[in-house]
Short mmCIF file of all heavy atoms in Angstrom, two decimals:
data_model
loop_
_atom_site.label_atom_id
_atom_site.label_comp_id
_atom_site.label_asym_id
_atom_site.label_seq_id
_atom_site.Cartn_x
_atom_site.Cartn_y
_atom_site.Cartn_z
N CYS B 119 10.95 -14.44 17.12
CA CYS B 119 10.77 -13.90 15.80
C CYS B 119 11.89 -14.57 14.80
O CYS B 119 11.45 -14.84 13.70
CB CYS B 119 10.96 -12.46 15.80
SG CYS B 119 12.34 -11.79 16.76
N ALA B 122 10.89 -17.78 13.74
CA ALA B 122 9.67 -17.91 12.90
C ALA B 122 9.97 -17.37 11.48
O ALA B 122 9.16 -17.65 10.50
CB ALA B 122 8.62 -17.04 13.48
N CYS B 123 11.16 -16.76 11.26
CA CYS B 123 11.41 -16.13 10.01
C CYS B 123 11.64 -17.06 8.79
O CYS B 123 12.70 -17.74 8.90
CB CYS B 123 12.41 -15.08 10.10
SG CYS B 123 12.78 -14.29 8.54
N PRO B 124 10.87 -17.11 7.84
CA PRO B 124 11.17 -18.06 6.70
C PRO B 124 12.46 -17.59 5.93
O PRO B 124 13.01 -18.31 5.01
CB PRO B 124 9.97 -18.01 5.89
CG PRO B 124 9.33 -16.67 6.07
CD PRO B 124 9.66 -16.33 7.51
N GLN B 125 12.86 -16.43 6.00
CA GLN B 125 13.98 -15.84 5.32
C GLN B 125 15.30 -15.97 6.15
O GLN B 125 16.32 -15.42 5.74
CB GLN B 125 13.78 -14.37 4.99
CG GLN B 125 12.65 -14.08 4.09
CD GLN B 125 12.99 -14.43 2.63
OE1 GLN B 125 12.81 -15.56 2.27
NE2 GLN B 125 13.45 -13.40 1.86
N ASP B 126 15.21 -16.59 7.22
CA ASP B 126 16.38 -16.87 8.13
C ASP B 126 17.09 -15.59 8.51
O ASP B 126 18.28 -15.40 8.56
CB ASP B 126 17.37 -17.77 7.47
CG ASP B 126 16.86 -19.11 7.08
OD1 ASP B 126 15.92 -19.55 7.84
OD2 ASP B 126 17.24 -19.65 6.12
N ILE B 127 16.23 -14.53 8.74
CA ILE B 127 16.81 -13.21 9.16
C ILE B 127 16.98 -13.17 10.65
O ILE B 127 16.10 -13.76 11.38
CB ILE B 127 15.78 -12.09 8.65
CG1 ILE B 127 15.80 -12.06 7.15
CG2 ILE B 127 16.24 -10.72 9.28
CD1 ILE B 127 14.65 -11.09 6.64
N VAL B 129 15.98 -11.57 13.16
CA VAL B 129 14.97 -10.54 13.32
C VAL B 129 15.29 -9.88 14.74
O VAL B 129 15.23 -8.67 14.79
CB VAL B 129 13.56 -11.16 13.42
CG1 VAL B 129 12.55 -10.01 13.45
CG2 VAL B 129 13.39 -12.02 12.14
N TYR B 132 17.84 -7.39 14.63
CA TYR B 132 17.59 -6.14 13.94
C TYR B 132 16.59 -5.24 14.89
O TYR B 132 16.63 -4.02 14.91
CB TYR B 132 17.14 -6.20 12.51
CG TYR B 132 15.72 -6.55 12.08
CD1 TYR B 132 14.67 -5.75 12.46
CD2 TYR B 132 15.49 -7.61 11.22
CE1 TYR B 132 13.37 -6.02 12.05
CE2 TYR B 132 14.25 -7.84 10.72
CZ TYR B 132 13.21 -7.17 11.19
OH TYR B 132 11.86 -7.38 10.77
N SER B 148 18.05 -6.44 8.25
CA SER B 148 16.70 -6.68 7.83
C SER B 148 16.42 -6.62 6.36
O SER B 148 15.36 -6.84 5.86
CB SER B 148 15.67 -5.61 8.49
OG SER B 148 16.01 -4.35 7.89
N ASP B 150 16.67 -8.48 3.79
CA ASP B 150 16.01 -9.54 3.04
C ASP B 150 14.53 -9.76 3.50
O ASP B 150 13.91 -10.75 3.09
CB ASP B 150 16.75 -10.89 3.13
CG ASP B 150 18.19 -10.85 2.48
OD1 ASP B 150 18.51 -9.70 1.90
OD2 ASP B 150 18.90 -11.78 2.58
N CYS B 151 14.07 -8.91 4.37
CA CYS B 151 12.74 -9.15 4.85
C CYS B 151 11.66 -8.91 3.79
O CYS B 151 11.76 -7.98 3.00
CB CYS B 151 12.42 -8.07 5.99
SG CYS B 151 10.77 -7.98 6.48
N ILE B 152 10.72 -9.74 3.66
CA ILE B 152 9.64 -9.67 2.69
C ILE B 152 8.23 -9.42 3.30
O ILE B 152 7.29 -9.59 2.76
CB ILE B 152 9.68 -10.93 1.76
CG1 ILE B 152 9.49 -12.22 2.62
CG2 ILE B 152 10.87 -10.94 0.91
CD1 ILE B 152 9.24 -13.41 1.76
N SER B 153 8.39 -8.87 4.58
CA SER B 153 7.08 -8.48 5.24
C SER B 153 6.05 -9.57 5.25
O SER B 153 4.86 -9.32 5.01
CB SER B 153 6.46 -7.23 4.60
OG SER B 153 7.47 -6.30 4.45
N CYS B 154 6.43 -10.82 5.46
CA CYS B 154 5.46 -11.91 5.50
C CYS B 154 4.61 -11.88 6.77
O CYS B 154 3.47 -12.41 6.73
CB CYS B 154 6.17 -13.28 5.33
SG CYS B 154 6.93 -13.76 6.89
N GLY B 155 5.17 -11.18 7.76
CA GLY B 155 4.27 -11.10 8.98
C GLY B 155 4.48 -12.21 10.04
O GLY B 155 3.85 -12.04 11.17
N LEU B 156 5.15 -13.26 9.73
CA LEU B 156 5.21 -14.40 10.63
C LEU B 156 5.88 -13.99 11.98
O LEU B 156 5.39 -14.48 13.09
CB LEU B 156 5.96 -15.56 10.05
CG LEU B 156 5.12 -16.40 9.04
CD1 LEU B 156 6.01 -17.32 8.28
CD2 LEU B 156 4.02 -17.07 9.74
N CYS B 157 6.89 -13.17 11.94
CA CYS B 157 7.53 -12.67 13.24
C CYS B 157 6.56 -12.02 14.04
O CYS B 157 6.49 -12.13 15.27
CB CYS B 157 8.76 -11.84 12.97
SG CYS B 157 8.40 -10.41 11.82
N ALA B 158 5.67 -11.10 13.38
CA ALA B 158 4.74 -10.29 14.17
C ALA B 158 3.63 -11.02 14.80
O ALA B 158 3.29 -10.83 15.95
CB ALA B 158 4.10 -9.27 13.30
N PRO B 167 7.91 -6.37 13.78
CA PRO B 167 9.39 -6.07 13.32
C PRO B 167 9.48 -5.47 11.97
O PRO B 167 10.29 -4.56 11.78
CB PRO B 167 10.05 -7.45 13.45
CG PRO B 167 9.25 -8.19 14.54
CD PRO B 167 7.87 -7.70 14.31
N TYR B 168 8.61 -5.99 11.03
CA TYR B 168 8.81 -5.61 9.65
C TYR B 168 8.52 -4.10 9.48
O TYR B 168 9.09 -3.45 8.57
CB TYR B 168 8.09 -6.46 8.56
CG TYR B 168 6.59 -6.52 8.78
CD1 TYR B 168 5.71 -5.72 8.30
CD2 TYR B 168 6.00 -7.55 9.62
CE1 TYR B 168 4.34 -5.76 8.46
CE2 TYR B 168 4.64 -7.70 9.83
CZ TYR B 168 3.84 -6.73 9.18
OH TYR B 168 2.45 -6.89 9.48
N SER B 171 11.58 -2.18 10.69
CA SER B 171 12.75 -2.29 9.88
C SER B 171 12.55 -1.52 8.60
O SER B 171 13.54 -0.96 8.02
CB SER B 171 13.09 -3.77 9.49
OG SER B 171 12.02 -4.36 8.85
S1 SF4 D 2 11.50 -10.45 9.38
FE1 SF4 D 2 9.32 -11.04 9.85
S2 SF4 D 2 8.14 -10.21 8.15
FE2 SF4 D 2 10.30 -10.18 7.52
S3 SF4 D 2 10.56 -12.04 6.41
FE3 SF4 D 2 11.18 -12.53 8.55
S4 SF4 D 2 9.39 -13.30 9.53
FE4 SF4 D 2 8.68 -12.31 7.63
#
Side-chain angles (χ1 to χ4, degrees):
Chain B
C119 48
C123 178
Q125 294 285 86
D126 301 329
I127 292 170
V129 189
Y132 83 59
S148 70
D150 297 359
C151 169
I152 52 172
S153 311
C154 72
L156 283 170
C157 52
Y168 58 88
S171 63

